[in-house]
């Protein structure tokens, strides 16, 4: 039972850690499927994290915060689109620039706005996303009623009830949004006209163009969706997982999401599994530091590096060659 | 006089400093097939792309069925009833045929209804025009001939009344080309108007009603096909007299240079593409390999050229060559005096972003003649390039241009110059004149024959039967990874070869 | 025929882009309530107005030259090496080992050994991603990102548990012995009556970096290997046709790239800190990506872009010293410079091309 | 005019540097005078900032963090008339440097005791930032304090990471907190800079107690933060600025006796601290001061008797 409890908790942590990765990964998926490479996921998330927290702090409404986060991420998306679609610039450079821009601007604005050293004030009450408690799930309310801590109630419950309460219930609404985005993305990409065109424009924009569809329009649409999803990811970090913005709080998650995207070979369901895997590896590494193997203590640094080492191993061992969308990274130029 | 289906008036188009089209006017009567010919880079594709809304003209106007029509993009062209099959197909390779056909012409936001509707209509179109395709195959699983059908179906599905085809037969076998023109005939009979760009004079003469000739961005003549001859068209095109037939003395084959025994080749997916063939090429002869694209000729050439591994045995001048691992790559082959003009000059034979003078060393960049100490001797390279450019009449004669800024014909001349000038024992040649204009074809053919006359062995792979006939001293036909039979050119004809190429066994043929 | 004169392409466009970036930066400075003229003045005099300022500018530029060249070489083989950071960290480890555990008679020999060691360690750290890319098709972008994290953990382990001197609380190695201290610009160029580059960290490895620029230039454009790297980078099928082994080129290019990134350690570890500290690379590996992209992967471009970033770093430091402008302003300015000179340069180029075409037409 | 050089974490790190900032501001407010400051952003700037400030005639120059020791050793001799203050450094041989070493292990010992006494589950947690000796030093003192109260206590210790982002990853801090809670911890001590914000937040959300570090963080979540381990950097900075050019140099230890470290008691945690707790802490404090109890320093020992890292 004890192992089972730990397992459930690790998986619970996995879900929380995977959510921002998943949102960013799906964001990248839309963009890259349309042929626009995006290494600026990190920057967009960071910008959204800041603006969602800032607006939530000022207005006290997390929903307004979410909107602001999405809007700010969309502005950066627009910039990326302008550079890489309209002016056919180098998509990698544009992404790098956006990461720098977000990392500088968030702190700069936060400082001149709140004077708390590039941080937003802590959020509370309506300024944060509360976790959604499912009916009959064990949650803080039960804890208050019985006077026992949640963890104790949890370990007393039967396993199904525990899985239900710990794993399924009790996450922020954005977590459910993220996971619902997976089938939705799959459906949009493979079952709708928009998806067909989107995938086509990432493979061969000339085919889309000569079929009478606007390449520029499609690509901007994709980049915009990417902006929205990055916005949600950032808002999740700052207003659901945390209660406010701290500088550089995305801490490289945009790059991990990018890795997951390549890992998933640009497919929605695979993206979910890849992000869950990354989340799981992190959750494990966080929970089991200083493992003692009969006298030999594995140094904490090794556990810290474990998710990354395992990623490389899995990549080398099982994933094989990932072929990106064929027109990816190349601006669509008709007249040379 | 009926109203012309298409009328272009004073079309001009510049790409930066390049004037691709200069004040071009042309009119095409409805229900006719109109041919356009011209050298590489004459501006044919540009003109048609303007008509299809792919490029925007700088000046000029377009009338469709007598009404002035603005065509800012392809959508407008489609709405005006124009369909176009581009020289380089505009298909999404990892989509199915059906998906490619509905792309951009879906009805409704959901895919499923569009696809099932398209599937039904496709059936009807197929029956009507005998354009059979498997709607569920992916584009990268079907041959180029099929791909072209998909392009045509795409246009017909959008109810095109005017159909433009840019060099449609460049990639087709003779049989496929004949079939294409039968389909075009049928379309014309239905009252559709067709424009065909081609480099092949025979096709113009046999199939078109009128023909226009373009040269250096201008329209030099428009004539009724019935009132002209291939010689006259060739002269209009190139501006000088052209020999349409290769003239060569008969071969004097010497000792065997290349001996292939039981060669097998598997592709990356493990599919056997060459299934145990035997072949000999002697000094002083050209052996032509005929066959429909995709029957193992490419793989044969690639194994011999060191681009992929194989099994079995090959000997050069009696010495066995490695077929895999060490000593089997392109460098080793070149060291063994095998030169290779690859099938795809843009993907293989040249680095499109390299200067011409860098490309002149491509593959031979380790030749000591090109080195000076630790470094490459760029001055020597450039001098060498100048010589070759002059000898092979590459235009423009500027070694500093990147490969991509030469026309297809001139790109091919660079490749041929590089390979032939090595004076190899064995020359491998794949599709030497694909998409190349007749002026350049004439030149390249002459060079190949000259090499043979020096007593070198040449293995030629081409899908152009005409080319096979006019160059080869001996013809082998490949089908499904086997050699179906060997013939001497004067003892056979297109019909017999066509049957062999279709896999009809020797006895039956 | 070109669309416009070469000088316009090489000088005019970057210049206009830089001016645009500067204007936007000025607006940002205004928006946070500071005086842009004063700020620019501080940056320029602070970074370029004295030998001291140059000493810092060139020190940073040296770092960025190494990492920029590393990224550039990989780019030529169409490999995106994001792992410069980790490779430079390992290079630092190599330098530290060489400098600490071997008694060198003179800095010059030590420098040679340190160059060799840093290149070896950097290359070794690039070798696994290179091998996996070449043989298993594992995407080099992911593996190099992962190797950055692994390098950080490894270095942390080495410094905290292995190389830290007894009793020191600082997760860093001991100071290198006097004999391996590299000559700084101060010691090289000062005369008895006139001290220049006072206290600035620029040191002899700046010349190593310049040398590296030349070597990379010669390698890429003058040698067979460079020819093969470029050919492979432009067309893999072409490379196979020409008998150039994709596996070999992938591995060799990454090894060179890693070695160049590792070489950075001669500057920051051996030349400046004179000991190995945690986080000694400070993101220079990532700046290298921007530098290589802006320099269009050409060593001369890398050199100029590295100087520009060196200027921004030192100018930014002066801003931080004498005003209350938050240090993040410099990051924003960097972003704008990258954006305008790198990603949005067509915004400037397109109208200019039209202009020149019009001029030419007019002249004809 | 004095100058203050913040460490790489930046002046608003909610702990160490921020405490210095608070001390300096307090001095500026009270005296109406001004001071110069810089937030370092690279290693090479350490020496640069020292020299530039010294050349500009600023005096004294106050530096934050052990990483300044090395540059100070190189620079201080060149400016014999300038006085330097090195916070968190106590091993330099330089006549014009005032070196201030805090006995973090002693303060951590006290909060460790409080944690053990407040814990109902018999498990307490420690979350560090980047895995460096300084943070182990905190953790080690904490563990000894906890064990002193309850020898059988279970101590869960985690580090956030090995890169500088370990100081700024509240999300990871939050996950670590949850992980420790699931291992039974009901009091968690965070010594992790910005990451600690996430630890305190999650502890409050999950209904367990947390312990802040460096500055008084009790007010962040009233009634949820058991106490904060105070490291009176603010006092050190304030005193240095106040003394001005007459500053005394030499090595100064700021332990419990000097009130350099301590535990934060205020209205925000008054309800959480029992009589028993405060008297135990007071006893331990005097025991440590008069030498009856020694807290092992990880720095000096290079390993920890109460906790394995
Ligand atoms: N996309 C483009 N960008 C710039 N210049 C172009 C482009 N396409 C064509 N050109 C220029 O326009 C001229 C005409 O090219 P076009 O492709 O129309 O020739 P073509 O007659 O179709 O040749 P081919 O027989 O080789 O197909 C070329 O010489 C070239 O300089
Ligand atoms: N970047 C460029 N700038 C200027 N002109 C170009 C450029 N790229 C190609 N061209 C011109 O465009 C014309 C057509 O080029 P294209 O690529 O269509 O080759 P092609 O002659 O049609 O050969 P193929 O039939 O094999 O495709 C050529 O004449 C060439 O000079
Ligand atoms: Mg062409
Ligand atoms: Mg053409």
């Amino acid at each position: 039972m004890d192992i089972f409890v730990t397992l459930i908790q690790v998986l619970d942590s996995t879900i929380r850690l995977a959510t921002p990765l998943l949102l960013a990964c799906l964001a990248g998926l839309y963009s890259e499927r349309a042929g626009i490479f995006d290494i600026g996921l990190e920057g967009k998330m960071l910008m959204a994290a800041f603006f969602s927290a800032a607006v939530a702090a000022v207005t006290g409404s997390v929903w307004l915060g979410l909107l602001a986060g999405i809007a700010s991420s969309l502005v950066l998306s627009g910039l990326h689109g302008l550079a890489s679609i309209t002016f056919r610039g180098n998509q990698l450079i544009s992404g790098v620039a956006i990461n720098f821009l977000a990392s500088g601007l968030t702190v700069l604005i936060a400082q001149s706005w709140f004077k708390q050293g590039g941080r937003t004030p802590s959020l509370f009450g309506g300024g944060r996303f509360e976790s959604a408690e499912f009916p009959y799930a064990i949650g803080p309310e039960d804890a208050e009623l019985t006077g026992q801590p949640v963890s104790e109630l949890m370990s007393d419950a039967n396993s199904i009830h525990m899985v239900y309460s710990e794993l399924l219930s009790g996450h922020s609404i954005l977590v459910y949004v993220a996971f619902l985005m997976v089938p939705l993305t799959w459906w949009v990409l493979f079952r709708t006209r928009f998806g067909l065109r989107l995938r086509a424009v990432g493979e061969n924009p000339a085919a889309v163009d000569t079929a009478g569809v606007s390449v520029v329009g499609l690509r901007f649409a994709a980049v915009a969706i990417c902006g929205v999803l990055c916005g949600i990811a950032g808002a999740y970090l700052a207003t659901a997982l945390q209660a406010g913005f701290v500088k550089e709080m995305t801490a490289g998650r945009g790059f991990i999401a990018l890795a997951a995207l390549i890992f998933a070979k640009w497919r929605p369901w695979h993206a979910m599994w890849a992000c869950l895997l990354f989340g799981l590896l992190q959750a494990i590494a966080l929970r089991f530091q200083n493992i003692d193997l009969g006298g030999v203590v594995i140094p904490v640094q090794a556990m810290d590096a474990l998710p990354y080492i395992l990623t490389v191993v899995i990549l080398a061992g099982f994933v094989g060659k990932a072929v990106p969308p064929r027109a990816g990274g190349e601006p669509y130029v008709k007249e040379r | 006089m009926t109203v012309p289906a298409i009328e272009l008036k004073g079309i001009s188009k510049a790409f930066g400093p390049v004037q691709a089209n200069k004040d071009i006017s042309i009119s095409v009567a409805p229900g006719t097939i109109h041919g356009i010919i011209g050298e590489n880079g004459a501006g044919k594709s540009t003109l048609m792309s303007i008509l299809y809304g792919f490029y925007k003209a700088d000046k000029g106007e377009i009338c469709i069925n007598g009404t002035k029509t603005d065509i800012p993009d392809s959508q407008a062209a489609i709405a005006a009833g124009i369909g176009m099959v581009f020289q380089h197909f505009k298909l999404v390779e990892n989509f199915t045929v059906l998906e490619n056909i509905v792309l951009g012409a879906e009805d409704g936001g959901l895919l499923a209804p569009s696809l099932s509707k398209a599937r039904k209509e496709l059936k009807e179109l197929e029956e009507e025009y005998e354009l059979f395709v498997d709607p569920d195959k992916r584009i990268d699983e079907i041959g180029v001939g099929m791909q072209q059908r998909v392009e045509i179906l795409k246009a017909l599905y959008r109810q095109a009344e005017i159909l433009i085809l840019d060099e449609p037969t460049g990639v087709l076998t003779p049989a496929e080309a004949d079939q294409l023109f039968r389909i075009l005939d049928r379309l014309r009979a239905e009252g559709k108007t067709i424009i065909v760009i081609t480099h092949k004079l025979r096709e113009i003469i046999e199939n078109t009603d009128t023909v226009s000739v373009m040269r250096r961005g201008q329209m030099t003549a428009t004539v009724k096909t019935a009132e002209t001859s291939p010689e006259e068209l060739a002269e209009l095109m190139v501006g000088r007299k052209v020999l349409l037939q290769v003239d060569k003395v008969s071969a004097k084959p010497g000792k065997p240079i290349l001996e292939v025994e039981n060669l097998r080749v598997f592709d990356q997916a493990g599919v056997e593409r060459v299934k145990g063939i035997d072949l000999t090429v002697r000094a002083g002869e050209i052996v032509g390999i005929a066959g429909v694209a995709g029957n193992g000729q490419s793989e044969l050439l690639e194994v011999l050229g060191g681009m992929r591994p194989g099994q079995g045995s090959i000997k050069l001048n009696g010495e066995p060559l490695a077929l895999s691992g060490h000593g089997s790559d392109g460098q080793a082959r070149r060291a063994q005096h095998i030169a290779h003009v690859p099938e795809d000059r843009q993907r293989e034979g040249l680095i499109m972003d390299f200067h011409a003078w860098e490309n002149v060393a491509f593959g031979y960049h380790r030749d000591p003649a090109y080195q000076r100490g630790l470094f490459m001797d760029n001055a020597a390279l450039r001098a060498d390039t100048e010589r070759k450019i002059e000898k092979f009449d590459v235009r423009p004669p500027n070694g500093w241009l990147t490969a991509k800024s030469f026309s297809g014909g001139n790109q091919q001349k660079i490749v041929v110059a590089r390979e032939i000038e090595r004076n190899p024992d064995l020359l491998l040649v794949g599709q030497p004149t694909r998409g190349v204009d007749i002026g350049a074809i004439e030149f390249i053919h002459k060079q190949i024959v000259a090499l043979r006359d020096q007593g070198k062995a040449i293995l030629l792979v081409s899908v152009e039967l005409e080319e096979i006939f006019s160059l080869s001293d001996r013809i082998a036909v490949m089908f499904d990874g086997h050699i179906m039979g060997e013939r001497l050119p004067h003892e056979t004809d297109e019909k017999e070869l066509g049957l062999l190429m279709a896999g009809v066994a020797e006895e039956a043929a | 025929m070109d669309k416009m004169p070469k000088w316009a392409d090489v000088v005019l466009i970057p210049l206009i882009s830089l001016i645009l970036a500067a204007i936007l930066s000025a607006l940002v400075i205004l928006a946070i309530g500071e005086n842009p003229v004063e700020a620019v003045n501080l940056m320029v005099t602070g970074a370029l107005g004295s030998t001291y300022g140059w000493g810092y500018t060139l020190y940073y530029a040296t770092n960025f030259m190494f990492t920029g060249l590393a990224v550039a070489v990989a780019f030529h083989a169409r490999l995106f090496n994001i792992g410069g950071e980790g490779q430079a960290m390992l290079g630092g480890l190599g330098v530290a080992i060489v400098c600490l555990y071997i008694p060198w008679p003179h800095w010059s020999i030590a420098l040679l050994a340190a160059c060799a060691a840093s290149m070896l360690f950097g290359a070794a750290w690039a070798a696994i991603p290179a091998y996996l890319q070449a043989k298993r098709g594992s995407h080099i972008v992911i593996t190099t990102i992962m190797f950055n994290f692994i390098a950080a953990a490894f270095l942390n382990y080495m410094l905290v548990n292995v190389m830290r001197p007894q009793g020191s609380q600082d997760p860093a190695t001991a100071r290198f012995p006097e004999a391996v201290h590299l000559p700084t610009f101060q010691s090289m160029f000062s005369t008895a009556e006139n001290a220049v580059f006072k206290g600035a960290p620029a040191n002899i490895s700046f010349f190593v970096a310049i040398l590296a620029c030349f070597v990379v230039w010669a390698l890429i454009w003058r040698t067979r290997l460079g020819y093969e790297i470029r050919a492979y980078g432009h067309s893999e099928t072409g490379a196979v046709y020409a008998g150039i082994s994709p596996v070999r080129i992938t591995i060799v290019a990454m090894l060179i790239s890693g070695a160049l990134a590792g070489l950075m350690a001669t500057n920051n570890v051996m030349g400046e800190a004179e000991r190995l500290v945690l986080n000694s690379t400070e993101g220079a590996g990532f700046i290298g990506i921007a530098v290589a992209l802006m320099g269009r992967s050409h060593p001369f471009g890398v050199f100029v872009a590295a100087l520009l970033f060196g200027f921004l770093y030192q100018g930014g430091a002066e801003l931080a010293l004498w005003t209350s402008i938050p240090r993040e302003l410099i990051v924003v300015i960097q972003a704008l410079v990258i954006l305008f000179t790198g990603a949005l340069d067509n915004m400037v180029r397109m109208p200019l091309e039209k202009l020149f075409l019009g001029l030419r037409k007019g002249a004809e | 005019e004095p100058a203050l050089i913040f460490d790489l974490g930046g002046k608003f790190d909610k702990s160490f540097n921020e405490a210095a900032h608070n001390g300096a501001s307090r001095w500026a407010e009270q005296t109406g005078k001004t001071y110069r400051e810089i937030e370092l952003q690279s290693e090479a700037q350490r020496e640069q900032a020292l020299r530039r400030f010294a050349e500009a005639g600023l005096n004294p120059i106050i530096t934050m963090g052990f990483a300044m020791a090395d540059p100070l050793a190189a620079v201080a001799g060149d400016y014999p008339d300038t006085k330097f203050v090195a916070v968190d450094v106590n091993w330099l041989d330089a006549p014009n440097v005032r070196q201030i070493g805090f006995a973090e292990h002693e303060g951590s010992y006290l909060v460790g005791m409080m944690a053990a006494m407040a814990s109902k589950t018999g498990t307490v947690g420690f979350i560090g930032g980047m895995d460096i000796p300084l943070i182990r030093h905190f953790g080690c003192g904490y563990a000894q304090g906890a064990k002193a109260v309850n020898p059988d206590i279970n101590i869960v210790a985690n580090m956030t990471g090995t890169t500088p982002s370990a100081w700024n990853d509240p999300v990871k801090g939050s996950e670590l907190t949850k992980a420790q809670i699931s291992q039974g911890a009901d009091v968690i001590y965070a010594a992790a800079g910005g990451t600690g914000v996430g630890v305190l937040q999650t502890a409050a959300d999950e209904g367990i107690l947390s312990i802040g570090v460096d500055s008084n963080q009790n007010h962040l979540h009233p009634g949820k933060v058991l106490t904060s381990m105070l490291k009176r950097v603010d006092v050190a900075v304030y005193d240095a600025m106040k003394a001005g050019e007459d500053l005394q140099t030499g090595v100064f230890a700021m332990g419990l006796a000097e009130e350099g470290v301590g535990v934060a008691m205020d209205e925000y945690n008054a309800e959480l601290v029992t009589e028993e707790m405060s008297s135990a802490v007071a006893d331990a404090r005097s025991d440590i001061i008069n030498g009856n109890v020694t807290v092992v320093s990880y720095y000096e020992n290079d390993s920890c008797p109460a906790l394995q890292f």
Side-chain angles (χ1 to χ4, degrees), chain B residues 343-480:
Chain B
E343 289 190 312
D344 189 333
R345 56 180 167 268
Q346 303 198 343
R347 276 167 45 84
E348 295 161 352
L350 296 165
I351 297 294
M352 299 305 278
D353 291 309
F354 274 15
H355 301 296
W357 63 262
E358 288 174 298
N359 270 305
V360 157
F362 192 48
Y364 301 98
H365 51 276
R366 292 189 166 266
D367 185 337
Y370 293 145
Q371 319 292 324
R372 202 174 45 197
L374 277 177
F375 300 107
M376 289 187 79
D377 190 348
N378 288 347
L381 275 180
R382 285 193 282 266
D384 194 29
T385 305
E386 239 163 69
R387 223 170 31 245
K388 284 178 179 153
I389 282 185
E390 202 193 307
K391 180 163 176 199
F392 280 76
D393 188 30
V394 176
R395 276 176 286 178
N398 180 353
W400 280 99
L401 291 179
T402 51
K404 69 178 174 208
S405 41
F406 288 93
S407 71
N410 285 300
Q411 288 170 359
Q412 190 68 354
K413 281 186 193 171
I414 295 175
V415 177
V416 171
R418 179 181 73 211
E419 301 301 324
I420 285 187
E421 290 290 289
R422 302 303 301 186
N423 206 12
D425 291 348
L426 170 67
L427 178 68
L428 308 169
V429 197
Q431 323 293 355
T433 57
R434 177 182 277 175
V436 172
D437 68 52
I438 49 171
I441 293 179
E442 179 197 19
F443 185 85
I444 290 170
H445 281 181
K446 262 195 208 157
Q447 298 300 324
I448 294 175
V449 171
L451 190 72
R452 177 203 73 166
D453 291 344
Q454 289 168 37
K456 307 298 183 182
I458 291 159
L459 182 65
L460 165 77
V461 168
S462 176
V463 292
E464 301 283 347
L465 268 191
E466 218 173 311
E467 182 164 67
I468 293 278
F469 267 107
S470 60
L471 283 181
S472 312
D473 301 312
R474 196 144 55 83
I475 301 173
V477 181
M478 268 188 88
F479 173 78
D480 192 27

Side-chain angles (χ1 to χ4, degrees), chain C residues 169 175 282 314 318 327, chain D residues 40 43 48 52 70 299:
Chain C
Q169 319 171 3
R175 207 165 243 282
E282 298 175 323
Q314 166 56 10
E318 289 292 317
R327 56 185 181 177
Chain D
L40 296 179
E43 294 287 337
Q48 178 180 23
R52 293 289 275 164
D70 210 55
Y299 276 165

Side-chain angles (χ1 to χ4, degrees), chain B residues 331 340 347 358 365 376, chain C residues 222 227-228 230 237 241-242:
Chain B
Q331 287 294 317
H340 182 188
R347 276 167 45 84
E358 288 174 298
H365 51 276
M376 289 187 79
Chain C
R222 286 293 179 273
Y227 183 96
E228 294 187 342
R230 285 184 297 131
T237 49
Y241 159 76

Side-chain angles (χ1 to χ4, degrees), chain C residues 46 52 56 59-60 148-149 152-154 156-157 160-161 164-171 175 198-201 272-275 277-280 282 313-314 316-318 320-328 330-331, chain D residues 7-11 36-49 51-53 55-56 58 66-71 74 79 88-91 130-134 136 161-165 298-300 302:
Chain C
Y52 148 82
Y56 272 92
Y59 163 74
Y60 291 120
N148 283 338
F149 288 110
F154 179 54
N156 184 291
Y157 174 79
V160 172
N161 295 354
R164 181 164 53 98
Q166 272 287 307
S168 164
Q169 319 171 3
D170 199 355
R175 207 165 243 282
K198 202 150 163 274
E272 199 269 328
E274 292 165 348
R275 62 190 185 131
V277 300
L278 270 186
N279 188 32
S280 59
E282 298 175 323
Y313 259 61
Q314 166 56 10
E318 289 292 317
L321 275 170
W322 308 119
T323 69
S324 59
I325 294 178
R327 56 185 181 177
E328 279 75 17
I330 290 306
V331 182
Chain D
D7 204 353
L8 293 172
K11 75 175 164 189
R36 291 234 164 253
E37 61 177 24
I38 177 176
E39 294 178 79
L40 296 179
Q41 44 193 334
S42 87
E43 294 287 337
Q45 278 175 10
R46 296 184 188 280
E47 199 171 319
Q48 178 180 23
R51 289 191 186 277
R52 293 289 275 164
F53 280 156
E55 269 159 28
L58 301 177
F66 57 78
M68 291 301 290
D70 210 55
Y79 305 94
D88 270 7
V89 175
N90 62 3
W91 61 90
M130 196 162 158
D131 186 15
I132 53 173
L134 175 67
R136 294 183 176 188
T162 51
T163 60
S165 72
Y298 181 83
Y299 276 165
E300 280 152 30
D302 244 347

Side-chain angles (χ1 to χ4, degrees), chain C residues 222-251:
Chain C
R222 286 293 179 273
T223 68
R224 284 174 303 182
L225 179 62
Y227 183 96
E228 294 187 342
I229 289 177
R230 285 184 297 131
Y232 172 72
H234 282 299
S235 161
E236 181 167 349
T237 49
V240 170
Y241 159 76
I244 299 168
S245 155
V247 169
R248 182 177 146 261
I249 294 298
T250 300
I251 291 180

Side-chain angles (χ1 to χ4, degrees), chain C residues 141-155:
Chain C
V141 169
I142 314 185
T143 45
T144 49
I145 290 179
M146 297 300 142
F147 265 69
N148 283 338
F149 288 110
I150 300 172
F154 179 54
L155 195 68

Side-chain angles (χ1 to χ4, degrees), chain B residues 92 157 455:
Chain B
V92 182
Y157 184 72

